[in-house]
Amino acid sequence: STGRAKILRGSFIFKVVPMLNPDGVIAGQYRCSLAGNDLNRQWATACPRTHPTIHATRSLIKTVAEQRHVVLYCDLHGHSRKCNMFMYGCTSRESGVGGDGLMERIWPYLLHTASPLFEYDDCTFKVEKSKEGSARVVVWKEAAVTNSYTLEMSLGGGYFGALTPRHYEVADYVNMGQLLCFAMLDLFEPGKVKVNSVLSELTQMHPDVTRKAEERGARESAKAGVEAHAFKMSLAHEKRETNWKVPDALPKDLMRVPKSVATLKSELPSHYTTQNGKTVVKAKVATGAKAVPKKKLVKKPAKKAGYG
């Protein structure tokens, strides 16, 4: 009933799925389904028969993404090994447009600054190969949602700064739910006051991310320049080919051969005499061969058999 809550309901459409593994939970499992499948690794190849809840939710997200822009996705999990509340996000090698590769870190950092329950240092934004079938990665890829996360709440509680480590209570979960919504409102505020402030802090905290993003931007600019130059050269080449195109049929004037040229071969003498008075065959001289004088073969008379 607060003013910020009214703005949230008036600005966003929330799609909430309370439980994706009801059969497994009833059987005493918290991660695997009744069929023994880890449902958060089946999103890329969800089967409507084996993984009906995952398949239906994925279809719902695809349908919504075709109709309107999906600005945020968050999957709520309980972590069995790590303490505190934290998030897994998605960052690609091509990210860096608009925020130097830090845009996906803004929402978790807003939660970190708003409550000691949430620990930003425990967050991870790498997309590992073993996690490619998880919900956040599939939604991030297929629906092009930059803000795609998994919110992890440790089953073992957390460390709250100066407070004594303890297990989470129902009030902690309710408090975190409110903070998620308020941080979402700050993330998409038109004035971007908190977003710009957080980006400034994140730039100082992650100089390597900013540097890599700048290097990627420089490489992409250079690649775009090379492609533009190649395209320009191809257009110029096509223009030259058009201007200097050889006609399919020769002009009639070129097909006319003068009679003097046609009869030149027959008019050339086949033999000629040199200054020394030797007769030379024309064909041999034309090919660069030396005239070889013919030798006359003189047969000697056979000797008669004598007496001796």
Side-chain angles (χ1 to χ4, degrees):
S1 61
T2 62
R4 301 190 73 183
K6 293 179 180 179
I7 296 175
L8 277 168
R9 291 193 296 268
S11 303
F12 301 97
I13 298 176
F14 292 87
K15 301 288 185 179
V16 181
V17 181
M19 176 65 71
L20 287 175
N21 188 20
D23 298 337
V25 171
I26 290 175
Q29 304 178 28
Y30 71 95
R31 187 175 187 91
C32 294
S33 64
L34 191 60
N37 298 129
D38 185 352
L39 294 182
N40 199 35
R41 296 295 181 270
Q42 312 299 328
W43 281 74
T45 57
C47 174
R49 184 173 182 178
T50 312
H51 324 110
T53 57
I54 303 301
H55 184 271
T57 307
R58 180 185 174 189
S59 301
L60 173 64
I61 295 173
K62 283 186 176 181
T63 303
V64 174
E66 293 173 356
Q67 299 173 353
R68 59 182 69 243
H69 178 52
V70 179
V71 295
L72 191 142
Y73 171 85
C74 187
D75 196 12
L76 308 180
H77 282 195
H79 207 284
S80 60
R81 293 173 295 172
K82 208 172 180 180
C83 292
N84 299 326
M85 294 185 184
F86 55 94
M87 279 186 176
Y88 291 126
C90 301
T91 301
S92 68
R93 295 180 179 179
E94 292 76 20
S95 68
V97 180
D100 297 330
L102 302 174
M103 293 302 296
E104 59 275 0
R105 300 172 183 260
I106 296 177
W107 196 46
Y109 195 76
L110 287 171
L111 293 172
H112 171 73
T113 56
S115 173
L117 295 175
F118 190 90
E119 186 59 47
Y120 175 79
D121 293 338
D122 292 332
C123 296
T124 304
F125 299 92
K126 293 181 180 180
V127 178
E128 300 175 358
K129 190 173 183 180
S130 60
K131 305 293 182 64
E132 290 182 352
S134 62
R136 63 181 173 91
V137 177
V138 173
V139 173
W140 171 65
K141 288 183 177 180
E142 295 186 354
V145 180
T146 302
N147 299 298
S148 183
Y149 306 95
T150 298
L151 173 61
E152 297 283 358
M153 301 180 182
S154 176
L155 301 178
Y159 301 96
F160 311 118
L163 301 179
T164 304
R166 60 179 176 81
H167 285 283
Y168 295 117
E169 300 176 354
V170 175
D172 296 327
Y173 297 128
V174 174
N175 185 23
M176 180 52 61
Q178 293 177 349
L179 292 176
L180 287 174
C181 295
F182 292 156
M184 186 189 309
L185 196 60
D186 294 333
L187 180 62
F188 297 102
E189 179 195 3
K192 297 186 179 300
V193 176
K194 289 190 176 182
V195 169
N196 293 333
S197 176
V198 167
L199 270 177
S200 178
E201 295 183 28
L202 290 174
T203 302
Q204 297 177 2
M205 293 172 58
H206 305 284
D208 54 333
V209 176
T210 306
R211 176 180 54 80
K212 291 180 181 179
E214 292 175 354
E215 292 176 355
R216 283 193 298 268
R219 287 196 299 267
E220 291 175 359
S221 299
K223 183 179 178 181
V226 171
E227 292 177 351
H229 178 71
F231 180 70
K232 185 178 179 180
M233 294 299 294
S234 65
L235 290 179
H237 182 67
E238 291 178 0
K239 186 176 181 181
R240 285 197 301 270
E241 286 184 348
T242 304
N243 295 338
W244 295 92
K245 186 177 181 181
V246 178
D248 298 333
L250 294 174
K252 294 182 179 180
D253 295 339
L254 296 179
M255 299 299 293
R256 298 175 183 176
V257 182
K259 291 183 178 180
S260 58
V261 176
T263 58
L264 182 61
K265 184 176 180 180
S266 60
E267 294 176 358
L268 291 176
S270 58
H271 298 78
Y272 73 94
T273 305
T274 64
Q275 294 179 357
N276 299 331
K278 295 182 179 181
T279 302
V280 182
V281 180
K282 177 65 177 176
K284 292 182 179 180
V285 174
T287 58
K290 294 182 180 180
V292 180
K294 294 182 179 180
K295 295 182 179 180
K296 295 182 180 181
L297 299 177
V298 180
K299 294 183 179 181
K300 295 181 180 181
K303 295 181 179 180
K304 295 181 179 181
Y307 299 94

